[in-house]
Amino acid sequence: MKLTSRKPYTVTRPTYSEDSFAEDHQKIPRLHKTPSSHVKDYLTCDAKRAKNVALSLLPIVGWMKAYRIREWLPGDLLSGVSTGMVAVMQGLAFSLLASLPPSYGLYTAFFPMLTYFFLGTSRHISVGSFPVLSLMVGAVVTRLVPEDGPPANITDFEGLTPDHQRVLVASSVTFLMGLFQLAMGVLQAGFVVVYLSDTLVSGFTTAAAVHIVVSQLKFVLGLTVPGINGPLSIIYTLEKIFVQITSSNVCDLMMSVVIMLVVFIVKELNERYKAKLPVPIPIEVIMTIIACGVSYGFTFETRYGVDVVGKMLSGYESPIAPSVEVFQESVVEAFPIAIVGFAVAFSVAKVYAIKHDYTIDGNQELIAFGVSNIFGASFRSFAASTALSRTAVQESSGGRTQIAGLISAMIAMIVTVALGFLLEPLPKSVLGALVLVNLKGMLMQFRDIPYLWRRDKHECVVWVGTCTSSILLGLDLGLAVGLGVELLTVVFRTQFPRCAILANIPGTDIYRDRKDYLHILEPKGVKIFRIPAPIFFANIDFLRDKLIEAVGFNPLRVLRKRTKALKKMRKQEEPMKEKAGKDLEFCKPPCAPQLYPLDLHSLILDFSAVSFLDISALKGLKTALKEFIRVDVAVYIASCDVCILEKLQSCMFFDDDLQTSMFFPSIHDAMMHVQDKHKLDTVENCLPLETKM
């Protein structure tokens, strides 16, 4: 390996403690705002701020002013048509996941996009149905309107057919989901998505894909299987499927297998030759048209008993009001649906925003999706977010702005108003096959397990825990369990950090873990202990134990032994004093170290990685440091954050034993102070006063 030349530099400065540094360098006082000042600033409005708020609430104004008609419009038109055809097929297919008639999947491809066009900050995501959300909505629909039993006791169900009851449930859940998203956006709560790590989302969506596979088996096999909810529902559903497996409809199965193979192969070709293809081959649309024609020509419904889409609604129905009773029954499910919908959309939007060099606003995205879902739910659509495959089509086929999304919504409208009747002979098994073949990306995430295990076992535990719990307990409970596991891993890492004993790299002012390097300098009688985590109530005892392990003795035990030895010495002197008739000199406390001498005189704590310190830990830290001081071990703290130092002062941390002079701006400053104090002048003990590198 070729060695690159390194530029040397020399730094000559005094050895500083925090006190001496403060004397030489004047600090600018900070004025901290009061809560009332923050509220006043937040509520203050002027013309400039009003303009900025208006522009942030209507991002379309920003990008529409810069729209290049000749350059961008052809790509947006082509992209809109391509994405629209995919959106129609996915809307029909994903409506089965929501336990709704296929017509309402087209509603979801149309209404939410109309408002997102004005309010959204992403220029590339395709707004519409998403399989995970559809499945989560379908779980609520199946629970309140089961296929093999009476519906829930809800007044608003009176006079409605089962299909209309399901539509009311789905739209009400979507409306409530939109309210949650809108409220979080108004309250600037877009930060909540940071608690859903990529690992957790990967495990969750993989589990959702498994649920989707199981839910679509009944369509692929042509079986009648009622929807089941609750923990272990996937086990019970598989049991019912395997009991009827010999009754599978061969025609449905053959069509599904052929379509999955053809669509899979063409999608792989699209991916391989995407640089040469102007637009991806719309294989889902092609196979749907072929399946419709074959089913109609050979009368699959009557001849082979194939379950088809059936009557498609022509046009749009009148708006409906959500059911408050459904709100009460589904509030627990609606909140995780809102979080998952936003998290998926935001993560996809962020990928394309980085790729095309523009910014997106998480809070505005929450407002946009909240309004879109509320608006869509009023017109009987179900939960909307985005799908990565559909968004990839919109971007790869030349889409530059949400004009492409608006055109895709127009395609869905044309199908709903004028062409829906052509889809009536379409077998549901075809839709099920299209759903399954689109799960490839999510199912391939199982490959993350060995990668995570090799790179980060904590992350692997989060992935496996989230995926397993979501599969067995259901998506709503599984998400909660996954969040719990994720937070526990964070607590575990901070509660049990990897502490280290540092040593000096010869000829430098750099200090590293002594286990990692061959050539190091460790001055006799000095220990440098690094704390690589915040210090709080849960880890203070662990850190104290690690510190005792690092120095090789327990200061309390040493103190007890010395005290016991002193008492014994004084007891032995009493008879001698009486016999001599005069006072003898006592072995005074300063002589105590001679009884049990230690090979440590200075302890340096590296606080460079300590980001906060709570009051409970402060008390424990103070006690631990005083224990070392009482056995004549000088304690120094290096690289302490200024905010922590201020907190120590405000919490009365300092006294006669613990003083501000024990704090140093760097480990090297503390080591220079120790070297000067104890005259460490032997070759192996000396460190350079002037650092050269």
Side-chain angles (χ1 to χ4, degrees):
M1 181 177 177
K2 186 178 179 180
L3 294 176
T4 57
S5 60
R6 298 176 179 87
K7 185 177 180 180
Y9 70 89
T10 302
V11 177
T12 303
R13 64 169 177 83
T15 299
Y16 282 120
S17 67
E18 289 288 355
D19 289 346
S20 60
F21 187 84
E23 291 173 2
D24 290 356
H25 302 277
Q26 186 177 1
K27 190 176 176 183
I28 300 174
R30 292 187 183 183
L31 296 176
H32 298 285
K33 286 187 177 182
T34 62
S36 59
S37 300
H38 283 289
V39 172
K40 183 179 178 181
D41 291 344
Y42 184 77
L43 297 178
T44 300
C45 184
D46 53 27
K48 184 178 180 181
R49 187 168 185 179
K51 180 182 177 181
N52 291 335
V53 170
L55 290 175
S56 67
L57 290 175
L58 289 172
I60 185 176
V61 177
W63 61 260
M64 190 61 83
K65 289 191 299 184
Y67 193 80
R68 305 172 190 171
I69 297 178
R70 292 185 178 180
E71 184 178 344
W72 292 356
L73 186 58
D76 280 341
L77 288 172
L78 181 61
S79 173
V81 173
S82 303
T83 308
M85 291 189 291
V86 176
V88 167
M89 295 303 103
Q90 291 188 350
L92 293 171
F94 296 161
S95 62
L96 299 182
L97 297 174
S99 300
L100 298 174
S103 301
Y104 296 98
L106 299 179
Y107 287 19
T108 307
F110 176 67
F111 287 108
M113 186 62 235
L114 298 182
T115 49
Y116 187 86
F117 176 76
F118 296 98
L119 301 175
T121 58
S122 174
R123 303 176 192 175
H124 290 89
I125 64 171
S126 173
V127 177
S129 54
F130 178 57
V132 177
L133 294 191
S134 303
L135 188 68
M136 295 176 79
V137 171
V140 184
V141 171
T142 305
R143 177 170 63 83
L144 297 182
V145 190
E147 297 177 9
D148 58 348
N153 186 20
I154 295 176
T155 307
D156 294 329
F157 283 174
E158 294 180 4
L160 299 179
T161 64
D163 279 349
H164 284 96
Q165 290 174 354
R166 294 188 180 96
V167 171
L168 178 61
V169 172
S171 62
S172 298
V173 172
T174 302
F175 195 97
L176 184 56
M177 164 195 175
L179 287 178
F180 280 131
Q181 290 177 330
L182 180 60
M184 288 190 291
V186 171
L187 296 174
Q188 305 288 291
F191 65 88
V192 296
V193 74
V194 303
Y195 294 105
L196 301 179
S197 66
D198 291 343
T199 303
L200 183 143
V201 172
S202 174
F204 178 78
T205 52
T206 305
V210 174
H211 277 282
I212 293 169
V213 169
V214 173
S215 70
Q216 295 306 291
L217 286 178
K218 64 180 181 180
F219 297 111
V220 171
L221 299 174
L223 302 175
T224 302
V225 179
I228 302 173
N229 282 299
L232 303 180
S233 60
I234 191 170
I235 306 297
Y236 299 135
T237 302
L238 286 172
E239 179 188 13
K240 290 184 177 295
I241 289 173
F242 284 115
V243 166
Q244 305 178 51
I245 194 73
T246 55
S247 304
S248 300
N249 189 307
V250 177
C251 184
D252 275 323
L253 181 59
M254 293 300 295
M255 275 194 302
S256 300
V257 171
V258 170
I259 286 174
M260 283 191 287
L261 285 174
V262 173
V263 172
F264 177 78
I265 291 171
V266 175
K267 277 181 171 289
E268 290 296 310
L269 293 174
N270 280 339
E271 182 65 25
R272 178 171 295 184
Y273 299 106
K274 62 182 179 182
K276 298 181 180 179
L277 293 172
V279 293
I281 300 171
I283 187 60
E284 291 102 330
V285 178
I286 295 171
M287 295 307 296
T288 300
I289 294 172
I290 293 173
C292 278
V294 173
S295 175
Y296 178 77
F298 291 94
T299 61
F300 279 2
E301 182 180 12
T302 56
R303 182 177 296 181
Y304 300 109
V306 171
D307 190 15
V308 298
V309 167
K311 181 67 177 176
M312 291 284 292
L313 296 174
S314 180
Y316 294 102
E317 297 179 326
S318 58
I320 59 171
S323 170
V324 176
E325 292 177 276
V326 174
F327 283 179
Q328 296 170 348
E329 293 285 341
S330 62
V331 64
V332 175
E333 291 99 333
F335 185 71
I337 293 174
I339 295 296
V340 171
F342 170 65
V344 170
F346 186 73
S347 60
V348 174
K350 191 163 57 174
V351 169
Y352 288 100
I354 293 172
K355 181 177 179 180
H356 293 276
D357 194 25
Y358 64 90
T359 58
I360 56 173
D361 183 347
N363 293 312
Q364 180 60 27
E365 285 295 292
L366 273 171
I367 293 174
F369 275 104
V371 173
S372 297
N373 279 303
I374 290 171
F375 178 70
S378 301
F379 288 90
R380 306 170 194 258
S381 71
F382 55 89
S385 179
T386 188
L388 182 57
S389 59
R390 198 169 59 243
T391 299
V393 170
Q394 180 165 316
E395 190 266 345
S396 63
S397 56
R400 305 295 292 269
T401 66
Q402 282 300 341
I403 286 178
L406 188 62
I407 293 170
S408 72
M410 295 300 107
I411 297 295
M413 182 192 71
I414 292 170
V415 173
T416 303
V417 173
L419 303 177
F421 69 96
L422 297 175
L423 297 171
E424 292 178 359
L426 178 65
K428 288 185 177 180
S429 58
V430 173
L431 295 178
L434 292 178
V435 171
L436 294 181
V437 80
N438 276 290
L439 296 177
K440 177 205 166 189
M442 287 194 283
L443 291 173
M444 292 296 285
Q445 291 175 144
F446 275 113
R447 296 184 301 180
D448 291 348
I449 296 177
Y451 172 82
L452 291 172
W453 182 255
R454 292 192 301 269
R455 300 294 189 275
D456 191 330
K457 291 181 173 56
H458 292 99
E459 291 288 292
C460 187
V461 169
V462 172
W463 197 102
V464 173
T466 303
C467 185
T468 304
S469 59
S470 298
I471 290 174
L472 297 178
L473 302 179
L475 296 180
D476 48 357
L477 290 176
L479 180 61
V481 172
L483 278 170
V485 173
E486 183 177 53
L487 293 177
L488 281 176
T489 60
V490 174
V491 171
F492 183 83
R493 294 185 195 201
T494 54
Q495 187 172 350
F496 306 105
R498 181 183 175 273
C499 301
I501 300 175
L502 306 184
N504 177 251
I505 304 299
T508 74
D509 63 348
I510 298 172
Y511 294 81
R512 295 292 173 86
D513 190 339
R514 66 177 184 180
K515 295 179 181 178
D516 297 336
Y517 294 87
L518 290 174
H519 304 292
I520 56 173
L521 284 177
E522 287 189 278
K524 187 176 180 181
V526 183
K527 289 285 185 185
I528 307 171
F529 184 74
R530 183 173 186 269
I531 302 175
I535 304 176
F536 61 108
F537 65 94
N539 70 358
I540 183 63
D541 290 335
F542 173 82
L543 293 174
R544 181 181 177 277
D545 293 340
K546 282 292 182 181
L547 180 57
I548 291 172
E549 180 184 329
V551 299
F553 63 87
N554 188 326
L556 271 180
R557 291 181 182 175
V558 172
L559 188 62
R560 290 194 194 103
K561 288 180 179 179
R562 288 179 176 178
T563 304
K564 186 177 179 181
L566 283 172
K567 288 180 179 179
K568 186 176 180 181
M569 287 177 61
R570 290 180 177 179
K571 190 174 181 181
Q572 291 174 348
E573 288 176 352
E574 288 297 328
M576 296 174 63
K577 285 166 41 177
E578 293 176 2
K579 184 176 181 181
K582 60 179 180 178
D583 291 334
L584 292 177
E585 234 180 276
F586 288 88
C587 185
K588 296 178 181 179
C591 300
Q594 299 174 4
L595 301 175
Y596 285 95
L598 300 174
D599 59 359
L600 181 71
H601 57 71
S602 300
L603 174 63
I604 300 174
L605 302 181
D606 177 14
F607 267 40
S608 59
V610 178
S611 56
F612 71 85
L613 176 71
D614 68 10
I615 293 178
S616 300
L618 186 147
K619 294 176 182 177
L621 178 66
K622 186 173 184 178
T623 302
L625 298 187
K626 283 197 170 190
E627 289 172 0
F628 281 99
I629 292 172
R630 285 172 185 165
V631 295
D632 300 293
V633 175
V635 180
Y636 306 98
I637 297 178
S639 305
C640 182
D641 186 81
V642 174
C643 294
I644 295 179
L645 195 54
E646 291 175 354
K647 185 170 185 177
L648 293 176
Q649 291 172 335
S650 65
C651 293
M652 307 298 180
F653 178 80
F654 299 106
D655 54 24
D656 293 338
D657 294 326
L658 302 174
Q659 300 178 354
T660 54
S661 58
M662 65 189 290
F663 285 81
F664 290 82
S666 72
I667 299 176
H668 203 59
D669 284 293
M671 185 60 75
M672 293 297 99
H673 174 79
V674 172
Q675 178 176 308
D676 183 61
K677 181 179 178 180
H678 292 273
K679 308 300 181 183
L680 305 179
D681 53 4
T682 60
V683 174
E684 63 269 17
N685 288 339
C686 275
L687 290 170
L689 289 173
E690 184 175 275
T691 303
K692 294 184 179 182
M693 290 172 280

